[in-house]
Amino acid sequence: MKEKFRSLRKKLVIKLGITYLLALLFVFSLIIVKNTVDFNATIAETQIRLKNSLTDKGMLLIKNNSNALVGLIEDNAFSAVEEIVTNTVQSSHDIVYGIFSDTEQNSWVYSLQNTDFISFKKSIDKNSRWAYEQSEASSSYIFFDALQVIEFAAPVVSEDEILGVIRYGLSTQEL
């Protein structure tokens, strides 16, 4: 059997065409891999920035509330303390809970964002020991199943006397 005659030119065009096609596929593959790596790096950087922003928000919140509650606690203004903590919790979907407890660990206010978080009450209460050990605004991580919460705690201090502890839990769910 004789092969059909193909000119050298035609053979060269076919081989070059296949070579160019393979090179093009290789370049596209490299571009896709690079874009995927860059995208993942951007996502990671964004998550770090968001987490830092959430931490800054929590620290500012806890410091401001710690200072704002001093006079109210000294005056035993329970309803005003309750209003501030509850309104703070309800003002942001990031805030899961807010708690103010006196020095004897009696909760004046225990405000949850919604009733879904009642099941986490035991874990929140376990973290109260850590909160009472803090001498300044601090943060700690608590895990509730798949939900991660950053708890912020600060003593409420008047003239070097600790009047109680204010705590807020901020969810990292949005991250």
Side-chain angles (χ1 to χ4, degrees), residues 11-70:
K11 287 180 186 177
L12 187 59
V13 167
I14 291 172
K15 286 188 180 189
L16 279 175
I18 291 172
T19 304
Y20 285 141
L21 182 62
L22 291 174
L24 188 63
L25 289 174
F26 180 72
V27 168
F28 280 144
S29 298
L30 287 178
I31 290 170
I32 289 170
V33 168
K34 183 182 181 332
N35 285 344
T36 302
V37 168
D38 289 348
F39 178 75
N40 289 338
T42 302
I43 293 290
E45 287 173 18
T46 302
Q47 284 181 321
I48 290 169
R49 273 187 299 218
L50 288 172
K51 199 169 200 174
N52 288 341
S53 176
L54 187 65
T55 302
D56 292 344
K57 175 183 177 178
M59 291 303 275
L60 182 63
L61 173 69
I62 205 72
K63 288 176 183 178
N64 286 344
N65 271 227
S66 176
N67 291 332
L69 295 178
V70 171

Coordinates of all heavy atoms in Angstrom, one line a residue, residues 11-70:
K11 N 3.0 18.9 5.7 CA 3.5 18.2 6.9 C 4.0 19.3 8.0 O 3.8 19.2 9.2 CB 4.6 17.2 6.6 CG 4.1 16.0 5.9 CD 5.2 15.0 5.7 CE 4.8 13.8 4.9 NZ 5.9 13.0 4.6
L12 N 4.8 20.2 7.5 CA 5.4 21.2 8.3 C 4.3 22.1 9.0 O 4.3 22.4 10.1 CB 6.4 22.1 7.5 CG 7.2 23.1 8.3 CD1 8.0 22.4 9.4 CD2 8.1 23.9 7.4
V13 N 3.3 22.5 8.2 CA 2.2 23.3 8.7 C 1.5 22.6 9.7 O 1.1 23.1 10.8 CB 1.3 23.7 7.5 CG1 0.0 24.3 8.0 CG2 2.0 24.7 6.6
I14 N 1.2 21.3 9.5 CA 0.5 20.5 10.5 C 1.3 20.4 11.8 O 0.8 20.6 12.9 CB 0.1 19.1 9.9 CG1 -1.0 19.3 8.9 CG2 -0.4 18.2 11.0 CD1 -1.3 18.0 8.1
K15 N 2.5 20.0 11.7 CA 3.4 19.9 12.9 C 3.5 21.2 13.7 O 3.5 21.3 14.9 CB 4.7 19.3 12.5 CG 4.7 17.9 12.2 CD 6.0 17.2 12.0 CE 5.8 15.8 11.7 NZ 7.0 15.0 11.7
L16 N 3.7 22.3 12.9 CA 3.8 23.6 13.6 C 2.5 24.0 14.2 O 2.5 24.6 15.3 CB 4.2 24.7 12.5 CG 5.7 24.8 12.2 CD1 6.0 25.8 11.1 CD2 6.5 25.1 13.5
G17 N 1.4 23.7 13.5 CA 0.1 24.0 14.1 C -0.1 23.3 15.4 O -0.6 23.8 16.4
I18 N 0.2 22.0 15.4 CA 0.1 21.2 16.7 C 1.0 21.7 17.8 O 0.6 21.9 18.9 CB 0.3 19.7 16.4 CG1 -0.8 19.1 15.5 CG2 0.5 18.9 17.7 CD1 -0.6 17.7 15.0
T19 N 2.2 22.1 17.4 CA 3.2 22.6 18.3 C 2.6 23.9 18.9 O 2.7 24.2 20.2 CB 4.5 22.9 17.7 OG1 5.0 21.6 17.1 CG2 5.6 23.4 18.7
Y20 N 2.1 24.8 18.1 CA 1.6 26.1 18.5 C 0.4 25.9 19.4 O 0.2 26.5 20.5 CB 1.2 27.0 17.4 CG 2.4 27.7 16.7 CD1 2.4 27.8 15.3 CD2 3.4 28.2 17.4 CE1 3.5 28.4 14.7 CE2 4.5 28.8 16.8 CZ 4.5 28.9 15.4 OH 5.6 29.5 14.8
L21 N -0.5 24.9 19.1 CA -1.7 24.6 19.9 C -1.3 24.1 21.3 O -1.8 24.5 22.3 CB -2.5 23.6 19.2 CG -3.8 23.2 19.9 CD1 -4.8 24.4 20.0 CD2 -4.5 22.1 19.1
L22 N -0.3 23.2 21.3 CA 0.2 22.7 22.6 C 0.8 23.8 23.4 O 0.6 23.9 24.7 CB 1.2 21.6 22.4 CG 0.6 20.3 21.9 CD1 1.7 19.2 21.6 CD2 -0.4 19.7 22.8
A23 N 1.6 24.7 22.8 CA 2.2 25.8 23.5 C 1.2 26.7 24.0 O 1.2 27.2 25.2 CB 3.2 26.6 22.6
L24 N 0.1 27.0 23.3 CA -1.0 27.9 23.7 C -1.7 27.3 24.9 O -2.0 27.9 25.8 CB -1.9 28.1 22.5 CG -3.0 29.1 22.7 CD1 -2.4 30.5 22.9 CD2 -4.0 29.1 21.5
L25 N -2.0 26.0 24.8 CA -2.6 25.3 26.0 C -1.8 25.4 27.2 O -2.3 25.6 28.3 CB -2.9 23.8 25.6 CG -4.1 23.6 24.6 CD1 -4.2 22.1 24.2 CD2 -5.4 24.1 25.2
F26 N -0.5 25.2 27.0 CA 0.5 25.3 28.2 C 0.5 26.7 28.8 O 0.4 26.8 30.0 CB 1.9 24.9 27.7 CG 2.9 24.9 28.8 CD1 2.9 23.9 29.8 CD2 3.8 25.9 28.9 CE1 3.8 24.0 30.8 CE2 4.8 26.0 29.9 CZ 4.8 25.0 30.9
V27 N 0.5 27.7 27.9 CA 0.5 29.1 28.4 C -0.8 29.4 29.2 O -0.8 30.0 30.2 CB 0.7 30.1 27.3 CG1 0.4 31.5 27.7 CG2 2.2 29.9 26.8
F28 N -2.0 28.9 28.6 CA -3.3 29.1 29.3 C -3.3 28.4 30.6 O -3.8 28.9 31.6 CB -4.4 28.7 28.4 CG -4.8 29.7 27.3 CD1 -5.2 29.2 26.1 CD2 -4.8 31.0 27.6 CE1 -5.6 30.1 25.1 CE2 -5.1 31.9 26.6 CZ -5.5 31.5 25.3
S29 N -2.7 27.2 30.7 CA -2.7 26.5 31.9 C -1.9 27.2 33.0 O -2.3 27.3 34.1 CB -2.1 25.1 31.7 OG -2.9 24.3 30.8
L30 N -0.7 27.8 32.5 CA 0.1 28.6 33.5 C -0.6 29.8 34.0 O -0.6 30.2 35.1 CB 1.4 29.0 32.8 CG 2.5 27.9 32.6 CD1 3.7 28.4 31.9 CD2 2.9 27.3 33.9
I31 N -1.4 30.5 33.1 CA -2.1 31.7 33.4 C -3.2 31.3 34.5 O -3.4 32.0 35.5 CB -2.7 32.3 32.2 CG1 -1.6 33.0 31.3 CG2 -3.8 33.4 32.6 CD1 -2.1 33.5 30.0
I32 N -3.9 30.2 34.2 CA -4.9 29.8 35.2 C -4.3 29.4 36.5 O -4.9 29.8 37.6 CB -5.7 28.5 34.6 CG1 -6.6 29.0 33.4 CG2 -6.6 27.9 35.6 CD1 -7.2 27.9 32.6
V33 N -3.2 28.7 36.6 CA -2.6 28.4 37.8 C -2.1 29.7 38.5 O -2.4 29.8 39.8 CB -1.4 27.4 37.6 CG1 -0.5 27.3 38.8 CG2 -1.9 26.1 37.2
K34 N -1.5 30.6 37.8 CA -1.1 31.8 38.4 C -2.2 32.6 39.0 O -2.2 33.1 40.1 CB -0.3 32.7 37.5 CG 0.3 33.9 38.1 CD 1.0 34.8 37.1 CE 1.6 36.0 37.7 NZ 1.0 36.6 38.8
N35 N -3.3 32.7 38.2 CA -4.5 33.5 38.7 C -5.1 32.8 39.9 O -5.6 33.5 40.8 CB -5.5 33.6 37.6 CG -5.1 34.7 36.5 OD1 -4.2 35.5 36.8 ND2 -5.7 34.6 35.4
T36 N -5.1 31.5 40.0 CA -5.7 30.8 41.1 C -4.8 31.1 42.4 O -5.3 31.4 43.4 CB -5.7 29.3 40.8 OG1 -6.5 29.1 39.7 CG2 -6.3 28.5 42.0
V37 N -3.5 31.0 42.2 CA -2.6 31.3 43.3 C -2.8 32.7 43.8 O -2.9 33.0 45.0 CB -1.1 31.0 42.9 CG1 -0.2 31.5 44.0 CG2 -0.9 29.5 42.7
D38 N -2.8 33.7 42.9 CA -3.0 35.1 43.2 C -4.3 35.3 43.9 O -4.4 36.0 44.9 CB -2.9 36.0 42.0 CG -1.5 36.1 41.4 OD1 -0.5 35.6 42.1 OD2 -1.3 36.6 40.3
F39 N -5.4 34.7 43.4 CA -6.7 34.8 44.0 C -6.7 34.3 45.4 O -7.2 34.9 46.3 CB -7.7 34.0 43.1 CG -9.1 34.1 43.7 CD1 -9.9 35.2 43.6 CD2 -9.7 33.0 44.3 CE1 -11.2 35.3 44.1 CE2 -10.9 33.0 44.8 CZ -11.7 34.2 44.7
N40 N -6.1 33.1 45.6 CA -6.1 32.5 47.0 C -5.3 33.4 48.0 O -5.6 33.6 49.1 CB -5.5 31.1 47.0 CG -6.4 30.1 46.4 OD1 -7.6 30.4 46.3 ND2 -5.9 29.0 45.8
A41 N -4.2 34.0 47.5 CA -3.4 34.9 48.3 C -4.2 36.2 48.6 O -4.1 36.6 49.8 CB -2.1 35.3 47.6
T42 N -4.9 36.7 47.7 CA -5.8 37.8 47.9 C -6.8 37.5 49.0 O -7.1 38.3 49.8 CB -6.4 38.3 46.6 OG1 -5.3 38.6 45.7 CG2 -7.2 39.6 46.8
I43 N -7.4 36.4 48.8 CA -8.5 36.0 49.8 C -7.9 35.9 51.2 O -8.4 36.3 52.2 CB -9.1 34.6 49.4 CG1 -9.9 34.7 48.1 CG2 -9.9 34.0 50.5 CD1 -11.2 35.5 48.2
A44 N -6.7 35.3 51.3 CA -6.0 35.1 52.6 C -5.7 36.5 53.2 O -5.9 36.7 54.4 CB -4.8 34.3 52.5
E45 N -5.2 37.4 52.4 CA -4.9 38.8 52.9 C -6.2 39.5 53.3 O -6.2 40.2 54.3 CB -4.2 39.6 51.8 CG -2.8 39.2 51.5 CD -2.2 39.9 50.2 OE1 -2.8 40.9 49.8 OE2 -1.2 39.4 49.7
T46 N -7.2 39.3 52.5 CA -8.5 39.9 52.9 C -9.0 39.4 54.2 O -9.5 40.2 55.1 CB -9.5 39.7 51.8 OG1 -9.0 40.3 50.6 CG2 -10.9 40.4 52.1
Q47 N -8.9 38.1 54.4 CA -9.4 37.5 55.7 C -8.6 38.0 56.9 O -9.1 38.3 57.9 CB -9.3 36.0 55.6 CG -10.4 35.3 54.8 CD -10.2 33.8 54.8 OE1 -9.2 33.3 54.7 NE2 -11.4 33.2 54.9
I48 N -7.3 38.2 56.7 CA -6.4 38.7 57.8 C -6.8 40.2 58.1 O -7.0 40.6 59.2 CB -4.9 38.7 57.4 CG1 -4.5 37.2 57.4 CG2 -4.1 39.5 58.3 CD1 -3.1 37.0 56.8
R49 N -7.1 41.0 57.0 CA -7.5 42.4 57.2 C -8.8 42.4 57.9 O -9.0 43.3 58.8 CB -7.5 43.1 55.9 CG -6.2 43.7 55.5 CD -6.4 44.6 54.3 NE -6.9 43.7 53.3 CZ -6.5 43.7 52.0 NH1 -5.8 44.7 51.6 NH2 -6.9 42.9 51.2
L50 N -9.8 41.6 57.5 CA -11.1 41.6 58.1 C -11.0 41.1 59.6 O -11.7 41.7 60.4 CB -12.0 40.7 57.4 CG -12.5 41.2 56.0 CD1 -13.3 40.1 55.3 CD2 -13.4 42.4 56.2
K51 N -10.2 40.2 59.9 CA -10.0 39.7 61.2 C -9.4 40.8 62.1 O -9.8 41.0 63.2 CB -9.2 38.4 61.3 CG -9.3 37.6 62.5 CD -8.7 36.3 62.4 CE -9.2 35.3 63.4 NZ -8.8 34.0 63.2
N52 N -8.4 41.5 61.6 CA -7.8 42.6 62.3 C -8.8 43.7 62.5 O -8.8 44.3 63.6 CB -6.6 43.1 61.5 CG -5.4 42.2 61.6 OD1 -5.3 41.3 62.5 ND2 -4.5 42.3 60.7
S53 N -9.6 44.0 61.5 CA -10.7 45.0 61.6 C -11.7 44.6 62.7 O -12.1 45.5 63.5 CB -11.4 45.2 60.3 OG -12.4 46.1 60.4
L54 N -12.1 43.3 62.7 CA -13.0 42.9 63.8 C -12.4 43.0 65.1 O -13.0 43.4 66.1 CB -13.4 41.4 63.4 CG -14.5 40.8 64.3 CD1 -15.8 41.5 64.1 CD2 -14.7 39.3 64.0
T55 N -11.1 42.6 65.3 CA -10.4 42.7 66.5 C -10.3 44.2 67.0 O -10.6 44.5 68.2 CB -9.0 42.1 66.4 OG1 -9.1 40.7 66.0 CG2 -8.3 42.2 67.7
D56 N -10.0 45.1 66.1 CA -10.0 46.5 66.4 C -11.3 47.0 66.9 O -11.5 47.8 67.8 CB -9.5 47.3 65.2 CG -8.0 47.1 64.9 OD1 -7.3 46.5 65.7 OD2 -7.6 47.5 63.7
K57 N -12.4 46.6 66.1 CA -13.7 47.0 66.5 C -14.1 46.5 67.9 O -14.6 47.2 68.7 CB -14.7 46.4 65.5 CG -16.2 46.6 65.8 CD -17.1 45.9 64.8 CE -18.6 46.0 65.2 NZ -19.4 45.4 64.2
G58 N -13.7 45.2 68.2 CA -14.0 44.7 69.5 C -13.3 45.4 70.6 O -13.8 45.7 71.7
M59 N -12.0 45.7 70.4 CA -11.2 46.4 71.4 C -11.7 47.8 71.7 O -11.8 48.2 72.8 CB -9.7 46.4 71.0 CG -9.1 45.0 71.1 SD -9.1 44.2 72.7 CE -7.8 44.9 73.5
L60 N -12.1 48.5 70.6 CA -12.6 49.8 70.8 C -14.0 49.8 71.5 O -14.2 50.5 72.4 CB -12.8 50.5 69.4 CG -13.3 51.9 69.4 CD1 -12.3 52.8 70.1 CD2 -13.6 52.3 68.0
L61 N -14.8 48.8 71.1 CA -16.1 48.6 71.8 C -15.9 48.4 73.3 O -16.6 49.0 74.1 CB -16.8 47.5 71.1 CG -18.1 47.0 71.7 CD1 -19.2 48.1 71.5 CD2 -18.6 45.7 71.1
I62 N -15.1 47.4 73.6 CA -14.9 47.0 75.0 C -14.3 48.2 75.9 O -14.7 48.4 77.0 CB -14.1 45.7 75.1 CG1 -14.5 45.0 76.4 CG2 -12.7 45.9 75.1 CD1 -15.8 44.4 76.4
K63 N -13.4 48.9 75.3 CA -12.8 50.0 76.0 C -13.8 51.1 76.2 O -13.9 51.7 77.3 CB -11.5 50.5 75.3 CG -10.4 49.6 75.4 CD -9.2 50.1 74.5 CE -8.0 49.1 74.5 NZ -6.9 49.6 73.7
N64 N -14.5 51.5 75.2 CA -15.5 52.5 75.3 C -16.6 52.2 76.3 O -17.0 53.0 77.1 CB -16.1 52.9 73.9 CG -15.2 53.6 73.1 OD1 -14.2 54.2 73.5 ND2 -15.5 53.7 71.8
N65 N -17.1 51.0 76.2 CA -18.2 50.5 77.1 C -17.7 50.4 78.6 O -18.4 50.8 79.5 CB -18.8 49.2 76.7 CG -19.9 49.4 75.7 OD1 -20.9 48.8 75.9 ND2 -19.7 50.2 74.7
S66 N -16.4 50.0 78.7 CA -15.9 49.9 80.1 C -15.8 51.3 80.7 O -16.2 51.5 81.9 CB -14.4 49.4 80.0 OG -13.8 49.4 81.3
N67 N -15.4 52.3 80.0 CA -15.4 53.7 80.5 C -16.8 54.3 80.7 O -17.1 55.0 81.6 CB -14.6 54.6 79.5 CG -13.1 54.3 79.5 OD1 -12.6 53.8 80.5 ND2 -12.5 54.5 78.4
A68 N -17.7 54.0 79.7 CA -19.1 54.5 79.8 C -19.9 54.0 81.0 O -20.8 54.7 81.5 CB -19.8 54.2 78.5
L69 N -19.6 52.8 81.4 CA -20.4 52.1 82.5 C -20.0 52.5 83.9 O -20.7 52.3 84.8 CB -20.3 50.6 82.3 CG -20.9 50.0 81.1 CD1 -20.7 48.5 81.1 CD2 -22.4 50.4 80.9
V70 N -18.8 53.2 84.1 CA -18.3 53.5 85.4 C -19.3 54.2 86.3 O -19.7 53.7 87.3 CB -17.0 54.2 85.3 CG1 -16.6 54.7 86.7 CG2 -15.9 53.4 84.7

